């Protein structure tokens, strides 16, 4: 009766609302609520747990997520869960997107008890199983209590990876450390059991932790001092396959994991000895578990062409191997040998870990006419010589051929080149940063404009002024002062660049907003 009384105000409110409002609140597609500005509040009021995807209809990653998102919604509904999944077209409902700080697509936020002040950002994988596991962690205990064998078997069968703690005393210090580890992991279901039958089923005689998985060895038994940190390291080392394919769904696991050194095998699935090469790669992977993540990419797949471009590879050059570190600055490495045997791959990885491999910097060939036009063309091979010429003031645009804002800037930059074509010490230049890399400058967004003043100091000044011919001229005539970015402005500058990119053309939006 109390529950009915609690619902009366909502029912009365619904009856008083205009019909379109109520219709919008009930709209669904494939079991996923479709929310708009006029139905968002009602959805929050009606559903204690609400996961909301803010998407754009043109976004490739949103399209890839859609079937998995619907599958997760169906699974939860079949279980009778009070968790609901919803979506908002952020291109149509821009005020909602702005309200919740949506800057890329898809952005997924979890609302609990109607609280709009601080929704939790969804950070796990993009497969239905990942979504369901993450939501269960957010709405239930960190580890499910497994009181009998059936419960344990059901948990092990429920996901690709499951962690179970076997503790005779569930209040022991070891069990507490286990539960703290369970709290810290979003995307893997945990269980805990003190049942003698469960111990017998899994042939356990003492307190233990087992990671069950549906790939590679099938399970891993934890060994050592049972602490939260040791458990987290154990899970990190064993929860991903020895070799994982890069796809829309696996990307969050790959980039969101703790292992920041990745070796990539660009392997077309159409190649005749595909399985043999993949087996060699997998054979090498075991020696570097927890240190280097082994990833293979189907180089024939159209969705992966931008990744090949990023590494300076062409389809005809594959199969090929590259290594990258994803720390503050991304650094790429290339093996000396093109052989793809397990021994050669191991040798390359061991040399990298020993610090014996130099970074691989991409460079196009130097065009014969690179200095014959008002805007000089820089590539990796001539950058140092031109940009750090002690007798020249060099203003460089770092661009990407696909970037809409770079295309808009091009005619202005050409006019700037004409203006200073015959100047004795000012050089206007440009470099395609998708095909050329230099150690002295790291580029994070396009276009990036940097000034290299004459002198022996190898100084670099970031430009943060107006992108107009007059703005550029003032900057150059002031010796790089009028329009220069202050040190504490550099982070804001990068954010501004990203914001501008979000307003660009559709292709550019797809690249920037589909960022993994």
């Amino acid at each position: 009766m109390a529950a009915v009384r609690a619902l009366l105000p909502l029912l009365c409110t619904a009856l008083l609302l205009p019909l379109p409002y109520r219709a919008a609140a009930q709209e669904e597609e494939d079991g996923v609520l479709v929310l708009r500005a006029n139905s968002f509040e009602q959805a929050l009021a009606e559903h204690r747990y609400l996961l909301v995807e803010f998407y754009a209809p043109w976004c490739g990653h949103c399209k890839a997520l859609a079937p998995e998102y619907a599958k997760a919604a169906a699974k939860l509904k079949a279980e009778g869960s009070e968790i609901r999944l919803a979506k908002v077209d952020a291109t149509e409902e821009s005020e909602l997107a702005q309200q919740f700080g949506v800057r890329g697509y898809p952005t997924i936020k979890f609302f609990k008890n109607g609280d709009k002040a601080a929704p939790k950002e969804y950070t796990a994988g993009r497969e239905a199983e990942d979504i369901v596991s993450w939501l269960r962690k957010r709405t239930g205990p960190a580890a499910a209590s497994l009181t009998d064998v059936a419960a344990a078997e059901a948990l092990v069968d429920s996901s690709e990876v499951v962690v179970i703690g076997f503790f005779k005393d569930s209040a022991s210090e070891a069990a507490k450390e286990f539960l703290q580890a369970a709290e810290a992991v979003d995307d893997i279901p945990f269980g805990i059991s003190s049942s003698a039958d469960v111990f017998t089923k899994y042939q356990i005689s003492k307190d233990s932790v087992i990671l069950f998985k549906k790939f590679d060895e099938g399970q891993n038994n934890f060994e050592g001092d049972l602490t939260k940190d040791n458990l987290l390291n154990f899970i990190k080392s064993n929860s991903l396959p020895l070799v994982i394919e890069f796809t829309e769904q696996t990307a969050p696991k790959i980039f969101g994991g703790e292992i920041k050194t990745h070796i990539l095998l660009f392997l077309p699935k159409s190649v005749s000895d595909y399985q043999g090469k993949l087996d060699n790669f997998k054979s090498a992977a075991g020696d570097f578990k927890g240190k280097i993540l082994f990833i293979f990419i189907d180089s024939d797949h159209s969705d992966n062409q931008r990744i090949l471009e990023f590494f300076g590879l062409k389809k005809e050059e594959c199969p090929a191997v590259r290594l990258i570190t994803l720390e503050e600055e991304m650094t790429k490495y290339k093996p000396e040998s093109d052989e793809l045997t397990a021994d050669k791959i191991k040798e390359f990885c061991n040399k990298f870990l020993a610090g014996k491999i130099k970074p691989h910097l991409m460079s196009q060939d130097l065009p014969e006419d690179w200095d014959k036009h008002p805007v000089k063309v820089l590539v990796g091979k001539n950058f140092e010589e031109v940009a750090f010429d002690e007798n020249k003031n060099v203003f460089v645009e770092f661009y990407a051929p696909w970037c809409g804002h770079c295309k808009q800037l091009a005619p202005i930059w050409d006019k700037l080149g004409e203006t200073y074509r015959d100047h004795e010490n000012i050089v206007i230049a440009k470099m395609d940063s998708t095909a050329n890399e230099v150690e002295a400058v790291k580029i994070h967004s396009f276009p990036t404009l940097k000034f290299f003043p004459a002198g022996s100091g190898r100084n670099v000044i970031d430009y943060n002024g107006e992108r107009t011919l007059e703005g550029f001229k003032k900057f150059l005539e002031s010796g790089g002062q009028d329009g220069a970015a202050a040190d504490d402005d550099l982070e804001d500058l990068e954010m501004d660049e990203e914001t501008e990119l979000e307003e660009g053309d559709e292709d550019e939006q797809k690249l920037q907003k589909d960022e993994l």
Side-chain angles (χ1 to χ4, degrees):
M1 195 63 190
V4 173
R5 281 199 300 271
L7 285 173
L8 279 175
L10 285 178
L11 294 171
C12 292
T13 302
L15 289 169
L16 291 170
L17 291 172
L19 284 175
Y21 193 123
R22 283 181 279 146
Q26 300 301 317
E27 190 176 351
E28 286 190 24
E29 285 180 8
D30 299 323
V32 176
L33 295 172
V34 178
L35 303 183
R36 309 183 193 283
N38 65 354
S39 59
F40 197 87
E41 293 285 347
Q42 188 172 346
L44 288 179
E46 289 178 355
H47 303 290
R48 184 180 176 193
Y49 303 119
L50 191 66
L51 187 70
V52 182
E53 176 204 3
F54 294 87
Y55 73 97
W58 45 256
C59 163
H61 290 292
C62 302
K63 291 174 184 175
L65 174 64
E68 295 295 321
Y69 201 67
K71 202 184 295 180
K75 185 171 185 177
L76 290 166
K77 189 174 183 179
E79 293 173 356
S81 172
E82 56 182 332
I83 305 168
R84 288 303 307 266
L85 271 60
K87 61 182 179 178
V88 172
D89 181 345
T91 65
E92 291 288 332
E93 307 296 338
S94 56
E95 287 186 12
L96 276 179
Q98 189 174 0
Q99 180 182 353
F100 295 109
V102 175
R103 292 200 52 167
Y105 305 127
T107 290
I108 307 173
K109 293 183 181 279
F110 178 58
F111 297 83
K112 190 173 179 178
N113 296 322
D115 182 11
K116 295 186 297 180
K120 180 79 176 176
E121 194 88 19
Y122 175 81
T123 54
R126 292 183 183 170
E127 294 182 72
E129 187 177 283
D130 301 319
I131 297 167
V132 171
S133 294
W134 190 90
L135 287 167
R136 283 178 178 153
K137 275 289 182 74
R138 288 283 168 266
T139 57
S145 179
L146 308 175
T147 56
D148 54 36
V149 171
E153 289 179 330
L155 183 65
V156 170
D157 289 342
S158 70
S159 295
E160 281 283 302
V161 179
V162 168
V163 179
I164 297 181
F166 301 84
F167 300 98
K168 292 180 179 177
D169 178 5
S170 59
S172 67
E173 287 304 312
K176 288 175 184 175
E177 292 286 327
F178 174 80
L179 290 173
Q180 286 179 32
E183 288 277 2
V185 179
D186 283 336
D187 53 351
I188 297 174
F190 281 63
I192 186 168
S193 182
S194 301
S195 163
D197 290 342
V198 174
F199 271 63
T200 301
K201 164 67 181 175
Y202 294 101
Q203 300 178 354
I204 303 296
S205 60
K206 61 180 183 178
D207 286 2
S208 305
V209 175
I210 299 179
L211 183 146
F212 297 90
K213 56 191 181 184
K214 296 177 181 176
F215 49 83
D216 297 342
E217 316 98 305
Q219 74 175 58
N220 302 102
N221 294 6
F222 175 80
E223 295 176 0
D225 188 17
L226 206 158
T227 66
K228 173 188 171 182
D229 288 342
N230 288 344
L231 280 171
L232 292 176
N233 286 330
F234 163 74
I235 293 163
K236 174 187 78 173
S237 298
N238 294 290
S239 58
L240 286 177
L242 274 176
V243 175
I244 185 168
E245 182 176 7
F246 179 87
T247 66
E248 296 275 1
Q249 285 70 39
T250 61
K253 294 180 183 178
I254 290 169
F255 294 117
E258 294 295 320
I259 303 171
K260 298 302 181 186
T261 299
H262 299 171
I263 186 168
L264 300 96
L265 172 63
F266 294 88
L267 181 64
K269 289 188 175 179
S270 58
V271 74
S272 57
D273 56 344
Y274 166 78
Q275 194 57 50
K277 284 186 166 54
L278 191 58
D279 288 345
N280 283 341
F281 194 59
K282 189 171 184 177
S283 176
D287 289 359
F288 305 96
K289 203 177 195 182
K291 299 175 187 174
I292 300 175
L293 190 59
F294 278 61
I295 302 161
F296 78 94
I297 297 175
D298 180 4
S299 54
D300 277 343
H301 200 294
S302 57
D303 287 351
N304 295 331
Q305 296 316 298
R306 187 60 62 78
I307 304 172
L308 267 74
E309 217 175 87
F310 177 72
F311 282 91
L313 283 168
K314 296 176 182 174
K315 284 173 71 172
E316 53 269 26
E317 295 177 290
C318 299
V321 163
R322 294 292 185 271
L323 187 145
I324 186 168
T325 57
L326 303 176
E327 303 299 340
E328 283 188 19
E329 300 291 352
M330 290 187 290
T331 308
K332 304 168 193 169
Y333 299 84
K334 177 183 176 181
E336 296 169 355
S337 169
D338 290 333
E339 287 185 54
L340 298 177
T341 63
D343 286 342
K344 283 294 181 183
I345 293 167
K346 287 180 186 179
E347 181 185 336
F348 173 53
C349 291
N350 281 321
K351 281 187 175 180
F352 165 78
L353 291 173
K356 295 179 180 178
I357 303 283
K358 290 184 177 180
H360 171 63
L361 300 172
M362 297 188 301
S363 177
Q364 293 173 305
D365 291 330
L366 183 64
E368 288 184 10
D369 61 347
W370 72 271
D371 60 347
K372 299 296 189 290
H373 301 285
V375 177
K376 312 308 175 191
V377 177
L378 303 186
V379 297
K381 294 174 180 176
N382 73 333
F383 180 85
E384 281 278 328
E385 177 189 348
V386 177
F388 291 109
D389 184 335
E390 294 183 12
N391 300 308
K392 303 289 185 184
N393 295 290
V394 185
F395 197 14
V396 183
E397 176 203 5
F398 298 89
Y399 72 96
W402 43 259
C403 164
H405 286 282
C406 300
K407 292 172 185 175
Q408 291 171 13
L409 180 61
I412 301 171
W413 202 251
D414 287 341
K415 285 179 184 176
L416 187 66
E418 286 287 354
T419 302
Y420 292 97
R421 181 172 196 158
D422 299 318
H423 198 283
E424 59 180 351
N425 63 15
I426 290 179
V427 175
I428 308 301
K430 64 181 179 180
M431 188 172 89
D432 177 356
S433 286
T434 66
N436 299 280
E437 297 169 318
V438 292
E439 201 165 347
V441 177
K442 302 297 181 185
I443 304 302
H444 301 285
S445 58
F446 303 112
T448 291
L449 307 175
K450 291 181 182 285
F451 180 60
F452 301 81
S456 58
R458 293 177 64 85
N459 294 324
V460 183
I461 298 172
D462 286 271
Y463 180 75
N464 195 22
E466 292 181 1
R467 290 180 186 170
T468 62
L469 183 60
E470 286 306 310
F472 293 145
K473 285 166 67 177
K474 283 181 185 177
F475 176 70
L476 291 169
E477 298 301 332
S478 67
Q481 300 298 311
D482 190 344
D487 288 344
D488 57 357
D489 287 341
L490 294 183
E491 187 175 343
D492 292 337
L493 173 63
E494 188 174 329
M495 295 298 286
D496 287 344
E497 291 288 354
E498 290 171 359
T499 301
E500 285 186 18
L501 286 171
E502 289 178 3
E503 298 166 356
D505 61 19
E506 186 168 306
D507 288 339
E508 192 174 352
Q509 286 175 332
K510 285 180 181 178
L511 178 79
Q512 296 298 323
K513 291 192 177 180
D514 289 0
E515 202 79 43
L516 295 178

